[in-house]
Amino acid sequence: MTTSSTELLDLTGKVAIVTGGSRGIGRSIAKTFADHGAKVVITSRKIDSCRDTSEEIIEAGGTAHPIAAHMGNLDDIEEKLIAAETLLKK
């Protein structure tokens, strides 16, 4: 009997906030989390790149929200996390 990777890592009902999720390793992590059922918030400083990754996840059947944020700015982080929480409650 084999176990699928989705059974091993079931993230249904979970939220993943992926900083740097618009490209490279962060993008791959965001897509993997979504593939395993997580709602994903994609953050980076450039909203267009975040949107691209989010659209790919949504087209594949996942849930994703792009949020532009600079992780070096604490006020920005708090504001964006509140916005993400509001989006995910819908």
Side-chain angles (χ1 to χ4, degrees), residues 7-83:
E7 291 174 318
L8 291 173
L9 183 63
D10 183 7
L11 299 175
T12 304
K14 305 291 185 188
V15 175
I17 299 172
V18 182
T19 61
S22 65
R23 60 192 179 109
I25 293 170
R27 182 185 194 117
S28 295
I29 290 169
K31 291 168 81 174
T32 300
F33 283 169
D35 288 344
H36 289 274
K39 294 178 181 178
V40 182
V41 177
I42 309 294
T43 69
S44 80
R45 288 178 280 177
K46 298 180 180 178
I47 191 64
D48 290 337
S49 298
C50 294
R51 283 188 188 121
D52 292 343
T53 302
S54 293
E55 288 171 8
E56 285 181 30
I57 290 170
I58 292 165
E59 287 172 6
T63 302
H65 299 284
I67 302 279
H70 188 293
M71 292 297 118
N73 180 336
L74 292 178
D75 291 334
D76 198 29
I77 294 168
E78 183 177 8
E79 177 185 325
K80 301 308 180 179
L81 291 178
I82 290 168

